[in-house]
Amino acid sequence: MSRSRRWLSALAVVCGVCLLAPSLASAAGIPAVSVTTDPNGGQQYSLTLQILILMTAVTLLPGIVLMMTSFTRIVIVLAILRQALGAGQAPPNQILIGLSLFLTLFVMGPVVDQINTEAVQPYMAGTIDATTALENGAEPLKRFMLNQTRESDIATFVRISGGQGFERPEDVPLRILVPAFATSELKSAFQIGFLIFIPFVIIDLVVASVLMSMGMMMLSPVLISLPFKLMLFVLVDGWGLIMGTLAASFYT
């Protein structure tokens, strides 16, 4: 009961702060919410509104990383690789996610640099407004997704939405491009995973056949094949091949 009261008290404090924030901002001389039009026709947002937009973007950042970058393909391929090795939870989920995040940063590096050059730096210098910065920042990311998305997937979601198609790929809106990109990434990840699985399946079949021919049916084939799969993976420099193949599978 005391825990519930503490949660209710904390919720009341948060609601009170949210309600009083505009009054406090006005009392401090900061306009709470205001949008002004500059002489060039652009719009300037107040500091409070900019902070609100920034906090909203931060909450959406995990979804952007998962569905609009190379993270999806990388983490699925690494998970399939661990399943093919049959080593249980080695490497653990934290290692796989960490590898996926840093490889995603490597792959998305040119896109991030372009966003910084065309959107962030001009906005910080005051040469463009917030709306133009958002448009310039979304353009490199959209171009990256278009390069990785199959036309058939885009056509599928255009048909579902009841649209008539687009003259140029650049005209595809994000509401259609994002699910089409996620679908294409899933297809690519499972295609790469299938190719990774084949050598390990062959080892399992050979080991199971040898054990059956020797009459050792009570011995688990997985227990015998695991060292051979690990040895094969190490001898061919498997981690280097996997990381290099994943990075090279993207083109910007």
Side-chain angles (χ1 to χ4, degrees):
M1 188 65 181
S2 59
R3 181 177 298 180
S4 301
R5 290 180 179 177
R6 287 197 298 268
W7 278 106
L8 289 175
S9 300
L11 182 61
V13 171
V14 172
C15 293
V17 170
C18 293
L19 292 175
L20 293 177
S23 301
L24 294 176
S26 300
I30 303 175
V33 176
S34 65
V35 180
T36 58
T37 303
D38 56 24
N40 297 327
Q43 292 181 340
Q44 296 290 338
Y45 301 97
S46 64
L47 179 61
T48 306
L49 192 56
Q50 292 180 22
I51 294 175
L52 179 61
I53 295 174
L54 178 61
M55 296 302 294
T56 304
V58 169
T59 59
L60 296 176
L61 185 60
I64 294 175
V65 173
L66 288 174
M67 293 290 101
M68 301 177 67
T69 66
S70 58
F71 180 84
T72 300
R73 184 189 305 184
I74 295 171
V75 74
I76 290 177
V77 170
L78 293 181
I80 293 177
L81 171 63
R82 183 176 65 179
Q83 184 70 23
L85 286 172
Q89 293 297 317
N93 292 330
Q94 293 86 346
I95 300 299
L96 292 185
I97 294 175
L99 286 173
S100 302
L101 283 175
F102 280 99
L103 192 57
T104 299
L105 290 176
F106 173 78
V107 172
M108 302 298 296
V111 179
V112 174
D113 292 340
Q114 192 172 1
I115 292 175
N116 181 61
T117 302
E118 298 180 0
V120 177
Q121 294 301 326
Y123 178 73
M124 297 296 292
T127 57
I128 60 176
D129 55 17
T131 303
T132 306
L134 289 175
E135 293 176 355
N136 294 347
E139 187 62 29
L141 190 59
K142 186 176 180 181
R143 192 180 309 117
F144 170 81
M145 290 191 292
L146 283 171
N147 290 335
Q148 318 304 323
T149 307
R150 297 172 174 83
E151 293 183 2
S152 59
D153 294 325
I154 296 178
T156 298
F157 284 95
V158 170
R159 184 177 67 256
I160 293 173
S161 64
Q164 301 298 325
F166 303 93
E167 296 182 358
R168 301 179 305 164
E170 293 77 10
D171 297 334
V172 179
L174 287 176
R175 65 182 179 86
I176 293 178
L177 179 59
V178 172
F181 171 75
T183 304
S184 289
E185 287 297 284
L186 290 174
K187 290 181 180 178
S188 300
F190 278 93
Q191 288 175 355
I192 298 174
F194 171 77
L195 296 177
I196 292 173
F197 231 107
I198 291 177
F200 300 108
V201 171
I202 293 175
I203 294 177
D204 286 332
L205 290 175
V206 171
V207 171
S209 300
V210 172
L211 291 177
M212 186 172 295
S213 64
M214 296 175 62
M216 304 175 65
M217 292 177 291
M218 299 301 294
L219 184 61
S220 174
V222 177
L223 185 62
I224 304 301
S225 63
L226 178 58
F228 290 99
K229 290 191 287 188
L230 293 178
M231 181 181 65
L232 173 65
F233 192 68
V234 172
L235 288 178
V236 300
D237 189 21
W239 287 113
L241 290 175
I242 293 296
M243 295 299 177
T245 302
L246 282 174
S249 65
F250 297 94
Y251 47 94
T252 56

